[in-house]
Amino acid sequence: MQRLLRQAGYAGNPPTFRITHGNSSIRKNLDKYKGASRIIPHIVLTDLDRCYPCPPALFDDWRVGVLPPSMLLRIAVREVEAWLLADRKGIAAFLHAAPEKVPSLPESVDDPKQTLFSVIRKSRKRRLVEEMVPQRGAHIGPLYNDRMCDFALNYWQIKTAAENAPSLARNLLRISDFLRD
Amino acid sequence: MFITRLKLKNWRNFKKVDVSLRERVYVIGPNASGKSNLLDVLRFMREVAKPEGGGLQKAVKDRGGLTKLRCLLARKDPVVSIEVELSERVDTKPLWRYALGFKSEGTGRQRVVVSEERVVDLTIDKVLLNRPDTLDKQDIDRLTQTHLEQINTNREFRAVTDFFANVTYLHLVPQLLKHADQLGGYRLEDDPFGQAFLERIAKSTDKTQTARLAKIEKVLRVCVPNMRNLRFERDKITGTPHLEALYEHWRPDAGWQREDQFSDGTLRLLGIMWSLLEGDSLLLLEEPELSLNEDIVRQIHKLIWNMQRQAKYRRQVFITTHSEALLQDKSIDAREVIRLEPTKDGTIAEETSSEDMALVTAGYTVAEVLLPKTKPAQVHQLSLFKP
């Protein structure tokens, strides 16, 4: 999110990031965000989470209705991992794997996280596999989050990624439009 | 009385603080931001004002001398100063203002000397004390003591002295209480960790004891549902005081258990509640959420409010906390929270901004608005990736 904002041309007071842990809580709190966005502009970013075929379906089901002009609700297709995979060269170099192993259109992949794991499994560094790929019975490896955050903050080429991930490109555009207003 | 305003200069990791306070004060901030240091100001004032064995010199010495106390960032200004305003209730005109400034003597033995001591009776706007005065200038040794600590000189503002002297700090460590026998008799002064908690209960008269324990039991039942008949007993042979409670069991008289079998959480709750009912001055609580189930933590605000209401004298409470669950309570007034933020220029203490107040009005809880600001920047990113 920090990178998205910077790329979209955000320059202002450091914003406050709130992490809600789950789509359902965003859905529940939608009215609250609507109210609060009159005080501080809100950008709410969520993902499709495999329950909905496309963003309009989610809008319908959540009964989003009319949003105040100071609130932006954006939906990342599938998972945030897809956007990171979209920088093919970058992620391959970061994970010490061959770029060909990374899918060229990550947003059409059904489960981006599993795809990411399979890329890591082909990494030349054994250590990365141990750190990031989960044991059976876990969802992620112990250092998965730390490594991916490091990548997202310091290595991820957001422009390259936007070329491969249409939803990322769209979101960037909308966020920078929103920031301008 | 309540402390309604606190001003500090060069106190430990705070270069400057000026905050207004309410009946409950929740102090939040990241680790090592100075939450305990903020509470320590009031423990310090208690030690200065304490009638037996207190005083400025001792209070400074106990903290490892002035060099440990003074903010590292204080370069030009060597004075550490503390100023408080006391009111009968919040949102009313304050009654007293007490200011104390002290520094190192600068020559010779490098004693700690008072550089300023002012008492203002705000009801009549009269300055009762303004030091250093002419007598102090004639006899420099006078400046090694405050007037607050001396019965002869604090007559006109005894109420202020009494307020400070009765400040209580509680960070009950259940293990110290449970294993008191094995640990031996060494007790820290003023019992910050609740080692002598049972003796404190023992000292109260039977009538107050029963009344308070009844109130506590009623509240405790919600948190520890299978506990009944909280009572105070003395061991028949050794005379040592004990708390007992009956746990529900199919054999009616089998379930009597003593405090060493209570859970850590139960003991901490007991300590907090007893303290709320006990004194009439400020109570300082360090992380009351420790060893408690999250659902109970959610009740802490209500519990404190309830106990404050039931107590004979309402105590102001300062609470340091990291707990999201505690601050999720919708009845917490955003003005009750003081947020500490470490910066390169020392930690700053901030009241809730008007913008954040508006967000709370819009429906956010205090936890949602303020806690994200206390997290280190990198940690935000961690939970972007759902498991």
Side-chain angles (χ1 to χ4, degrees):
Chain A
M1 192 71 201
Q2 214 172 322
R3 289 291 309 274
L4 284 183
L5 279 177
R6 224 185 301 157
Q7 185 67 30
Y10 181 81
N13 289 333
T16 310
F17 298 100
R18 288 176 223 289
I19 293 141
T20 58
H21 307 285
N23 269 356
S24 54
S25 82
I26 293 188
R27 180 182 186 171
K28 214 167 51 205
N29 287 321
L30 217 52
D31 283 333
K32 187 167 81 187
Y33 297 143
K34 280 188 192 173
S37 68
R38 281 180 196 119
I39 295 135
I40 301 182
H42 275 55
I43 298 178
V44 181
L45 187 67
T46 179
D47 56 29
L48 276 182
D49 212 15
R50 247 173 279 161
C51 313
Y52 305 100
C54 62
L58 183 143
F59 267 77
D60 271 359
D61 189 50
W62 284 17
R63 306 218 171 95
V64 173
V66 186
L67 292 176
S70 53
M71 177 169 160
L72 182 66
L73 175 64
R74 293 303 299 166
I75 295 151
V77 176
R78 297 300 160 231
E79 288 175 311
V80 75
E81 276 83 353
W83 287 359
L84 298 178
L85 281 169
D87 175 13
R88 283 179 83 192
K89 259 195 197 148
I91 191 105
F94 184 77
L95 298 172
H96 299 273
E100 307 84 68
K101 307 284 185 220
V102 185
S104 52
L105 285 174
E107 287 195 335
S108 54
V109 172
D110 195 47
D111 191 340
K113 191 171 272 160
Q114 290 310 323
T115 317
L116 188 61
F117 288 145
S118 61
V119 176
I120 300 169
R121 280 198 196 94
K122 299 196 181 84
S123 162
R124 287 188 296 276
K125 297 257 179 193
R126 288 294 317 153
R127 200 165 49 94
L128 284 179
V129 182
E130 276 169 33
E131 284 173 359
M132 298 174 73
V133 178
Q135 300 281 316
R136 230 179 53 176
H139 295 284
I140 53 172
L143 292 185
Y144 177 79
N145 275 338
D146 303 56
R147 291 270 173 264
M148 289 320 283
C149 286
D150 181 33
F151 174 70
L153 277 174
N154 305 317
Y155 300 94
W156 187 40
Q157 292 298 322
I158 203 163
K159 266 195 191 144
T160 328
E163 284 162 20
N164 274 335
S167 102
L168 174 59
R170 270 199 307 278
N171 270 301
L172 273 173
L173 252 147
R174 285 298 302 273
I175 291 175
S176 57
D177 282 349
F178 177 76
L179 289 173
R180 212 173 308 125
D181 297 337
Chain B
M1 277 197 293
F2 296 145
I3 297 185
T4 43
R5 191 169 177 194
L6 175 68
K7 276 169 90 170
L8 301 173
K9 200 180 72 187
N10 295 339
W11 174 265
R12 294 192 186 246
N13 58 342
F14 300 95
K15 218 167 144 186
K16 213 168 182 181
V17 169
D18 184 358
V19 283
S20 61
L21 308 169
R22 303 186 69 78
E23 228 168 289
R24 287 165 296 274
V25 180
Y26 290 98
V27 185
I28 62 171
N31 283 326
S33 61
K35 292 185 293 297
S36 303
N37 285 348
L38 193 69
L39 295 200
D40 194 43
V41 176
L42 298 149
R43 295 174 74 188
F44 177 85
M45 288 312 295
R46 178 191 60 195
E47 244 167 272
V48 172
K50 209 162 58 173
E52 75 265 14
L56 176 67
Q57 299 298 324
K58 178 159 192 303
V60 173
K61 198 176 150 217
D62 282 354
R63 284 162 179 74
L66 199 59
T67 42
K68 290 267 169 65
L69 259 188
R70 207 183 69 197
C71 182
L72 283 173
L73 297 150
R75 291 207 187 83
K76 283 195 182 128
D77 190 353
V79 177
V80 179
S81 69
I82 300 164
E83 185 181 319
V84 295
E85 276 177 17
L86 299 173
S87 315
E88 198 51 55
R89 337 163 50 117
V90 287
D91 299 324
T92 57
K93 195 172 177 293
L95 306 176
W96 299 98
R97 181 181 301 132
Y98 178 82
L100 173 67
F102 52 94
K103 59 178 183 181
S104 174
E105 203 174 7
T107 55
R109 281 178 285 165
Q110 301 290 0
R111 292 172 300 181
V112 176
V113 289
V114 173
S115 62
E116 189 204 6
E117 190 180 18
R118 266 170 74 86
V119 183
V120 189
D121 183 340
L122 293 165
T123 45
I124 47 172
D125 265 326
K126 191 181 160 200
V127 180
L128 299 179
L129 178 73
N130 194 6
R131 298 177 72 196
D133 52 21
T134 41
L135 283 169
D136 291 328
K137 279 170 194 149
Q138 285 162 15
D139 179 6
I140 190 85
D141 285 359
R142 282 171 60 97
L143 287 176
T144 59
Q145 296 191 341
T146 61
H147 279 196
L148 190 72
E149 68 201 67
Q150 294 174 54
I151 294 175
N152 280 328
T153 49
N154 68 17
R155 197 174 56 86
E156 285 179 291
F157 51 94
R158 187 72 46 80
V160 178
T161 307
D162 288 346
F163 176 84
F164 285 130
N166 288 316
V167 168
T168 321
Y169 172 88
L170 182 71
H171 184 31
L172 193 135
V173 183
Q175 283 71 18
L176 289 180
L177 195 65
K178 286 181 179 175
H179 304 289
D181 291 347
Q182 294 103 302
L183 286 168
Y186 187 75
R187 298 266 161 81
L188 289 174
E189 226 180 306
D190 297 312
D191 193 31
F193 305 122
Q195 281 167 288
F197 174 57
L198 293 176
E199 273 108 90
R200 253 164 65 202
I201 298 183
K203 273 184 201 149
S204 59
T205 63
D206 282 354
K207 206 174 146 198
T208 32
Q209 213 177 70
T210 332
R212 282 180 194 162
L213 285 178
K215 283 176 192 166
I216 293 174
E217 191 197 309
K218 217 164 116 192
V219 178
L220 214 53
R221 240 183 232 185
V222 183
C223 317
V224 194
N226 53 359
M227 195 172 125
R228 295 271 175 281
N229 305 359
L230 185 65
R231 68 178 188 197
F232 181 81
E233 280 287 301
R234 271 184 188 284
D235 190 294
K236 286 209 176 65
I237 300 158
T238 59
T240 36
H242 289 290
L243 274 175
E244 288 184 335
L246 186 66
Y247 281 79
E248 270 173 7
H249 191 263
W250 56 272
R251 289 184 314 191
D253 240 6
W256 283 104
Q257 296 197 329
R258 279 189 173 169
E259 76 282 346
D260 53 356
Q261 305 197 313
F262 289 1
S263 78
D264 290 0
T266 311
L267 270 176
R268 284 185 62 92
L269 271 179
L270 262 167
I272 292 169
M273 288 191 283
W274 181 272
S275 308
L276 281 165
L277 293 173
E278 191 177 41
D280 57 353
S281 181
L282 174 63
L283 174 64
L284 308 168
L285 292 178
E286 199 90 71
E287 302 188 9
E289 72 266 22
L290 292 181
S291 6
L292 292 177
N293 177 296
E294 201 167 270
D295 287 322
I296 310 279
V297 174
R298 276 179 226 288
Q299 308 284 332
I300 287 181
H301 175 77
K302 202 163 60 181
L303 189 146
I304 290 174
W305 181 86
N306 224 329
M307 284 289 147
Q308 277 180 318
R309 202 180 48 163
Q310 288 186 39
K312 200 164 170 195
Y313 304 101
R314 197 170 284 197
R315 304 191 84 163
Q316 190 180 22
V317 198
F318 280 32
I319 302 140
T320 66
T321 183
H322 287 288
S323 167
E324 195 166 346
L326 201 166
L327 294 171
Q328 263 167 359
D329 193 312
K330 290 220 163 186
S331 65
I332 293 181
D333 183 340
R335 292 174 299 174
E336 292 175 342
V337 182
I338 299 292
R339 183 170 60 87
L340 304 185
E341 192 181 323
T343 67
K344 277 192 185 136
D345 204 26
T347 293
I348 46 175
E350 287 194 284
E351 296 168 33
T352 306
S353 67
S354 53
E355 188 181 81
D356 289 342
M357 285 291 292
L359 283 176
V360 172
T361 320
Y364 277 111
T365 63
V366 170
E368 284 171 321
V369 176
L370 295 172
L371 282 179
K373 297 186 177 189
T374 67
K375 284 181 186 144
Q378 288 291 321
V379 177
H380 289 303
Q381 299 291 328
L382 292 183
S383 36
L384 256 183
F385 301 92
K386 285 181 281 180

